[in-house]
Structure formats: C-alpha cells, structure tokens
Amino acid sequence: MNFQIFGNEKAPTLLLIPGLGVSYEIFLPLIRLTEDTFRIIVAEVDGFTLGKHTRFTSVDDQAAQVIDYVKTNYNGHIACAYGLSLGGKILSRILERNEIVIDHAILDAAPLLPLPNWLINPLRYYQAANVWTCYHWTGFWKFVFHSHYFDVLLDECRKTWPWGGKQAVLDGYKSVYTSRLESICGADIHFWYGTKEAFAAKPQVKHLLTIYPNAHVQIFPGMNHGQLLVDHPEEVAKRIIIITKGEII
C-alpha cells in the first residue's frame, strides 16, 4: 500500500481511503477543497494503485497497513477519516481493531455485512466483467447515472485496471462480502448513503446501529453509490470540516 500526502503539514490529519476499482485520484477535487484545512493522507489500496503492479490481499491486511502507517508517522492518531465503499469497509475494520485513535469517522456506503455464499462468486465475476467492459456502454449508462458521475467512474476504472486487473476486483469483492463487522470503536462515527442505493445500504445501517447505537446516519436524496463525492465534493468537504470541528450538521 502506498500513501499520498497533501495539505497543511501543521493542520489536523484527514485520512481518505478510496473504494474498489478506483484510484486515490478520485479524491483530488476533495483534496483541493480541504488542503488548507487538513494534513491529508490518502491510501492507495493494493490492487488499485497507479504505475505499480499490486495485488489486493484482504480487507484486514489493508486495515493493518493503514494502522501501521498511522502509528509510525502520526503517533497513532487521526483527526478525521473518510472511507468510500471498500474504503469504508477498511475503515470499519480499523475502528474494530481499535489500535489507533480516530476522532471522527465517516463510512460512506460501507458494506459491513457478508452476502449469501451462493451469490458471492456470481457477483465477483459480474463485477470484474463490468469494470472492464462498462465503458463500451457509455450511452446507456450515462442516461441511467448522469454523465459526469459515470464519466469519472469510467476514467478511474481505466486508470486502475492495468495495475491490478481482473484479479484485484475478484479478490476485493471476495474479501468485502465474506466478512462481517462484529464490533466498532470510536468517539464519533457517521454512516452516509444515497437514496438510490438504499436497498443495499439499509441493512448495513441496521447492523451498525445494533453494535453502535450512537452512529450518525445521513441520507442524501437522489444520490447513488459514490455520487455525492464525485458530483458534490464541495458538500463532502463542508461536512468533513463541520464534523471535525464537532459541530452539528
């Protein structure tokens, strides 16, 4: 795992962890909006790095690498952490292990529960094919998802595929959907999702609230998976700053 560093060296730390199939560069608009406020640490998840062939290992291993990096370089303390999808899953595992202090954590549509065993392999292979071929269907998918949102995701798929390929997608989905969040530790935990992904997100929220009743759940009307970050980075930046200051949104 690689880490990219941005922002104000003397400011509070902000950890960003991207989702499956996308690179750290999906955060660049958000970074530009927050680099004066934070010292930003962006994880490059194995299998989805740029310019270097890597292989995804497991959610647990990715979490362990982040924990080791934060212990070594930031005295085991992060002011705020934001994880998108797979990144949220990794962040949830970091919180579960409770080896570093994260003052504020945002799980954006994080998959916290396993899927039924019979569904895992079909979904893995479907998603691997989808990541490789979806840009051939831009006309249809632009209509469904709206152009800017999907164009960004397509660009990210194109960038990461040469360095991790099909195997990274297969291994990533298997690790994500065969593990269950058993406990979670933190002073301030938030879960975000959009109404267009509610079918998948609601069970995750229900599970989170059973193990952490004080979690703050925020639902964004009209948003799909990852769309708030892609289409409205200024809104994500504003909310991260407010949350880190301990203010109520």
Side-chain angles (χ1 to χ4, degrees):
M1 177 179 280
N2 298 326
F3 294 89
Q4 302 289 334
I5 308 300
F6 302 88
N8 185 348
E9 185 175 355
K10 297 181 180 180
T13 47
L14 171 62
L15 171 66
L16 304 175
I17 311 176
L20 190 147
V22 301
S23 77
Y24 80 93
E25 290 187 350
I26 199 169
F27 288 126
L28 289 179
L30 177 63
I31 289 167
R32 286 192 286 270
L33 293 165
T34 55
E35 59 187 350
D36 291 337
T37 307
F38 294 102
R39 181 63 163 174
I40 305 169
I41 310 150
V42 192
E44 287 193 82
V45 176
D46 288 331
F48 309 103
T49 49
L50 296 178
K52 179 182 178 182
H53 290 282
T54 54
R55 181 164 179 174
F56 186 88
T57 48
S58 68
V59 168
D60 194 58
D61 177 64
Q62 300 302 298
Q65 291 189 60
V66 173
I67 289 169
D68 288 344
Y69 183 85
V70 173
K71 284 181 177 178
T72 301
N73 296 278
Y74 295 94
N75 297 315
H77 176 250
I78 293 290
C80 186
Y82 170 87
L84 173 66
S85 190
L86 166 66
K89 178 81 167 191
I90 294 169
L91 178 55
S92 75
R93 180 58 179 143
I94 294 169
L95 295 167
E96 185 176 24
R97 291 178 58 151
N98 197 27
E99 296 178 30
I100 60 175
V101 175
I102 298 177
D103 296 333
H104 309 276
I106 302 165
L107 311 175
D108 191 342
L112 308 177
L113 294 169
L115 288 172
N117 288 335
W118 64 268
L119 186 57
I120 292 171
N121 275 333
L123 180 62
R124 290 170 67 211
Y125 284 94
Y126 166 76
Q127 291 294 356
N130 191 40
V131 169
W132 175 241
T133 63
C134 62
Y135 58 79
H136 295 301
W137 309 332
T138 52
F140 173 72
W141 288 115
K142 281 183 181 180
F143 173 76
V144 173
F145 289 117
H146 309 297
S147 60
H148 177 65
Y149 166 54
F150 201 65
D151 281 350
V152 171
L153 297 185
L154 291 176
D155 288 343
E156 288 298 321
C157 290
R158 291 190 187 100
K159 286 190 291 186
T160 61
W161 184 270
W163 309 106
K166 174 181 177 182
Q167 196 61 50
V169 179
L170 292 176
D171 293 342
Y173 269 91
K174 182 176 181 179
S175 183
V176 167
Y177 290 113
T178 56
S179 58
R180 179 188 188 91
L181 184 68
E182 299 294 344
S183 64
I184 195 165
C185 302
D188 184 38
I189 297 174
H190 299 252
F191 193 101
W192 294 357
Y193 72 93
T195 52
K196 290 186 177 181
E197 57 180 339
F199 177 79
K202 284 182 177 179
Q204 320 306 318
V205 171
K206 182 178 179 181
H207 177 65
L208 176 62
L209 292 175
T210 62
I211 60 177
Y212 193 92
N214 293 327
H216 305 279
V217 179
Q218 185 72 51
I219 306 167
F220 297 93
M223 293 292 102
N224 211 314
H225 194 66
Q227 190 171 1
L228 184 70
L229 174 68
V230 171
D231 283 354
H232 304 286
E234 71 289 344
E235 180 69 18
V236 175
K238 180 185 77 173
R239 288 175 177 272
I240 287 174
I241 292 169
I242 289 172
I243 286 170
T244 306
K245 290 181 178 178
E247 299 176 5
I248 298 174
I249 298 175

